[in-house]
Amino acid sequence: MLALFALAPLMGEVVGAALRLSNFVEPLRVAAIVCFYGAGVVLLREIAQRLRLSGWGIVLLGLAFALVEEGLGLQTIFNPVGMDGESVHGRALGVNWFWGVVVSGYHVVWSVLIPIAVVHLVFARRSRAAWLSRPALLLFGILFAVGTALFVLISHLRSDFRLLPVQVVAVLAAVALLVWAASRCTARGRPPVPGRPTRPVLSTLVGFAAGAVWLLLYLVAFIGGGASFVWWTLAATLFATAVAALLGRWERRGWATQDRLAMCFGAALAAALFGLLLVSLADRAEDVVFQVIMIGGVVAGYAWGRRRISVAG
């Protein structure tokens, strides 16, 4: 539980340089991220475990998680100038559609799926057990609510934008629908038996390539592109569908534990290198050094996790 509580904000914000070393002097921001990501992802995992949800159920809960943060908390899905005054490409009817798709996909993968998958792979013996008692559920629920409230406060302090009542209702309705749909995605039968590790290098490359493409789409949301945002949004959706189909095929054929970890490593490495690009453009030496340390941490963490899995299995 503690590993997931720490890994979720680390992977969701620090590795990709959304939270940089220079930002650690902002205690409100750090507290919001720790409460929202740490408690939120642990709660999400607990709900999925207790309801015996399939992978698609976790994906849908991850989308709900993303909408709460970017729709209600930071409000970037609706704010026409983002959080720092930058224009957002692909806006229509008061919604940043392309950004909404890209940032939601980011949170589903890097904030939710990768942390849960890594913790389950490394601590496999406890991966199918419920972790939280009722008092702990209440505590984590409170922390998640505090994180959401802090995000709202940060949004109000950094921008003059305010959500319209209809936008709040729309997000809440979408979150409720996603949670309901997730509850219908229960796992059937026994979990597939992992196969023998045959393609860890390939899994790493696929994870890295898929992650790099998605993170480049993140840049398109701010710098724009020659094509209409409708085509960009459609392309991003089709790309995500294709990657999900590939992973589903590997899952059905018996996906080895080492290959799963390698896929997570590839995507995490893509995020870390993307973060290095961002901090290099900002030209702050301390952030660049810290990001290089993060890249080393991702590599070292993968090596440790792979060794632990090999010893256990």
Side-chain angles (χ1 to χ4, degrees):
M1 178 185 68
L2 292 178
L4 183 57
F5 186 86
L7 187 59
L10 185 66
M11 185 60 61
E13 290 287 312
V14 180
V15 168
L19 180 69
R20 307 171 186 183
L21 180 63
S22 57
N23 300 135
F24 278 83
V25 297
E26 306 173 36
L28 195 65
R29 183 174 180 178
V30 173
I33 288 171
V34 171
C35 290
F36 187 88
Y37 284 84
V41 176
V42 170
L43 278 175
L44 189 153
R45 183 263 173 200
E46 190 73 8
I47 292 170
Q49 198 64 38
R50 289 171 181 255
L51 296 181
R52 300 184 182 278
L53 299 185
S54 65
W56 282 113
I58 298 176
V59 167
L60 293 174
L61 288 181
L63 286 173
F65 174 91
L67 288 181
V68 171
E69 179 180 1
E70 304 293 343
L72 294 179
L74 297 176
Q75 305 170 14
T76 62
I77 292 177
F78 301 104
N79 194 335
V81 293
M83 285 288 293
D84 300 303
E86 68 277 17
S87 58
V88 182
H89 177 61
R91 180 175 177 81
L93 302 176
V95 179
N96 301 320
W97 295 99
F98 180 59
W99 167 251
V101 170
V102 172
V103 75
S104 295
Y106 175 86
H107 285 306
V108 168
V109 175
W110 281 273
S111 303
V112 175
L113 292 182
I114 290 179
I116 292 176
V118 169
V119 171
H120 280 189
L121 291 170
V122 175
F123 303 100
R125 292 183 179 180
R126 298 200 60 195
S127 63
R128 298 194 172 276
W131 292 346
L132 302 180
S133 62
R134 288 187 178 181
L137 278 171
L138 177 60
L139 174 60
F140 276 80
I142 293 173
L143 288 175
F144 180 64
V146 168
T148 304
L150 289 176
F151 274 145
V152 173
L153 177 60
I154 290 170
S155 176
H156 284 194
L157 291 174
R158 297 178 64 180
S159 172
D160 294 330
F161 177 79
R162 299 293 182 267
L163 289 176
L164 298 173
V166 66
Q167 293 171 326
V168 175
V169 171
V171 173
L172 290 175
V175 169
L177 180 61
L178 286 168
V179 172
W180 173 82
S183 69
R184 313 296 296 178
C185 298
T186 54
R188 298 179 180 179
R190 296 181 178 180
V193 178
R196 298 180 60 185
T198 57
R199 45 178 179 255
V201 174
L202 175 61
S203 297
T204 300
L205 292 176
V206 170
F208 180 85
V213 169
W214 197 261
L215 292 166
L216 289 177
L217 291 174
Y218 177 100
L219 293 181
V220 173
F222 291 100
I223 65 177
S228 166
F229 78 91
V230 175
W231 294 111
W232 279 109
T233 305
L234 180 61
T237 304
L238 291 176
F239 177 75
T241 302
V243 173
L246 174 63
L247 298 184
R249 182 180 179 183
W250 285 4
E251 183 80 20
R252 290 189 298 272
R253 295 177 63 178
W255 200 10
T257 301
Q258 289 88 340
D259 293 323
R260 297 170 190 256
L261 186 66
M263 175 72 75
C264 293
F265 166 63
L269 186 60
L273 291 174
F274 180 75
L276 181 61
L277 171 64
L278 295 182
V279 297
S280 298
L281 293 175
D283 196 25
R284 292 184 66 107
E286 68 273 23
D287 289 338
V288 173
V289 172
F290 182 72
Q291 193 61 27
V292 171
I293 294 173
M294 284 295 99
I295 294 172
V298 169
V299 175
Y302 170 64
W304 175 82
R306 185 172 180 178
R307 183 166 58 250
R308 179 183 173 89
I309 289 173
S310 298
V311 171

